[in-house]
Amino acid sequence: MTPEARAHLLGRVETLPVLPHVVARALQLDPAAETYFDDVVALIESEPNYAVRLVAAANSVVARGVTPITRIRDAVVRLGAREVCSLVVSLSVVRVFVPRADWEKGLWLHALEAGHVARALARHHGSGLDGERAFLSGLLHDVGRFIMFDAAPESLKEVDEASWVTPASLLEAERAICGVDHAALGAEVAARWGLPTELVEFLRHHHSPEVEGVLPGVDGRVARLVQVADASAFSAVSTRHQLVQFRALRGPDAEVFLRNKLPSWFSKTPGAAQAIMEALTRADTLARTLGLAPLGHGTK
């Protein structure tokens, strides 16, 4: 790719709209607070566009409801306050990157799955890691690839057809073909949106094999869990590369996969595989609700 094309990719970042302020408000809510449910209801009631989508999601087939939902409070009850906050954040990012083809929906599905798995792992670990922060990190970890798809789809297709098998070799392929990798682009996007500095740095370093040494304390731990989530949810993006597909693993094989992927400080490995599978199912349900599931996904 020419220097001009690289500049075009970076310039695309400058033209992105900012995320709606509702995202910042949703992320500031404390799931542990006694008022959390009422706070979520109040947030949705203040945003008509989100209220409409929320009620529609609560009445969708995948929500498996019997009684029609006509009130926001009832919609939050059916979907769950945490899932509603996930829906708000996801809808906000979708408004910036509108998916069209199945290939782009595959990127979106991977983002949703990575976010849900990262949150599930943070909760499963049970030592105070922020599940909602893990969700946002997982949701946005590949945002640089959305830029590439939007501005240079043929180059991104060339990247995905290259012979890479590790995150490091993926970044090398992107730099060779596009002139910049998706981690650097993602950091530029987060800075443009005014997201916290720690999230900007996470996006910049999220594929680093020594991420816990690069990012301090909790930041590094959340990043490691996102790396596990990324590997667990990769089948949504591609099946052509020689990578383990977590969905295809059963019983002991899934546990072995996780023992090799999870850091030594993750003390609750038993049960983590089941938590991941449940998170993938929730993400797939949300994807279908949002119209982000590629054609045929989940129908076999």
Side-chain angles (χ1 to χ4, degrees), residues 148 159 168 170-181:
M148 290 177 173
V159 168
L170 166 61
L171 297 183
E172 289 174 2
E174 289 175 343
R175 288 192 290 268
I177 294 170
C178 301
V180 65
D181 60 63

Side-chain angles (χ1 to χ4, degrees), residues 92-281:
S92 297
V93 183
V94 170
R95 288 171 60 180
V96 177
F97 298 104
V98 180
R100 300 176 182 85
D102 269 6
W103 194 86
E104 190 171 11
K105 289 180 179 179
L107 288 178
W108 259 115
L109 180 61
H110 174 68
L112 288 172
E113 289 183 346
H116 278 74
V117 170
R119 180 169 59 190
L121 288 174
R123 292 177 181 172
H124 185 74
H125 181 242
S127 65
L129 290 179
D130 187 341
E132 301 316 305
R133 178 175 170 186
F135 171 79
L136 183 63
S137 299
L139 180 72
L140 296 180
H141 78 286
D142 273 350
V143 70
R145 286 175 62 81
F146 284 94
I147 294 285
M148 290 177 173
F149 183 88
D150 183 67
E154 291 304 316
S155 294
L156 186 55
K157 182 179 179 182
E158 185 178 348
V159 168
D160 282 356
E161 291 176 349
S163 299
W164 54 267
V165 293
T166 66
S169 56
L170 166 61
L171 297 183
E172 289 174 2
E174 289 175 343
R175 288 192 290 268
I177 294 170
C178 301
V180 65
D181 60 63
H182 76 272
L185 269 179
E188 294 283 348
V189 170
R192 167 72 175 81
W193 283 342
L195 295 178
T197 301
E198 57 265 28
L199 185 54
V200 174
E201 291 308 303
F202 157 76
L203 290 170
R204 192 184 314 279
H205 300 291
H206 72 276
H207 277 313
S208 170
E210 306 296 333
V211 71
E212 289 188 72
V214 176
L215 301 177
V218 172
D219 295 345
R221 289 194 166 197
V222 170
R224 279 290 290 118
L225 294 189
V226 172
Q227 289 181 340
V228 178
D230 186 24
S232 301
F234 193 80
S235 60
V237 177
S238 173
T239 56
R240 61 173 278 108
H241 294 283
Q242 300 291 314
L243 299 175
V244 173
Q245 306 300 321
F246 186 81
R247 288 180 183 277
L249 300 178
R250 294 293 181 269
D253 290 338
E255 297 291 347
V256 170
F257 172 86
L258 287 180
R259 279 199 296 273
N260 291 333
K261 293 289 184 182
L262 287 168
S264 59
W265 50 261
F266 194 93
S267 58
K268 291 190 176 181
T269 303
Q274 182 61 32
I276 288 177
M277 289 305 299
E278 291 173 358
L280 290 172
T281 299

Side-chain angles (χ1 to χ4, degrees), residues 28-43 73 81:
Q28 289 169 358
L29 298 180
D30 181 6
E34 292 182 0
T35 60
Y36 183 61
F37 180 88
D38 290 331
D39 291 340
V40 171
V41 172
L43 174 64
R73 179 171 292 271

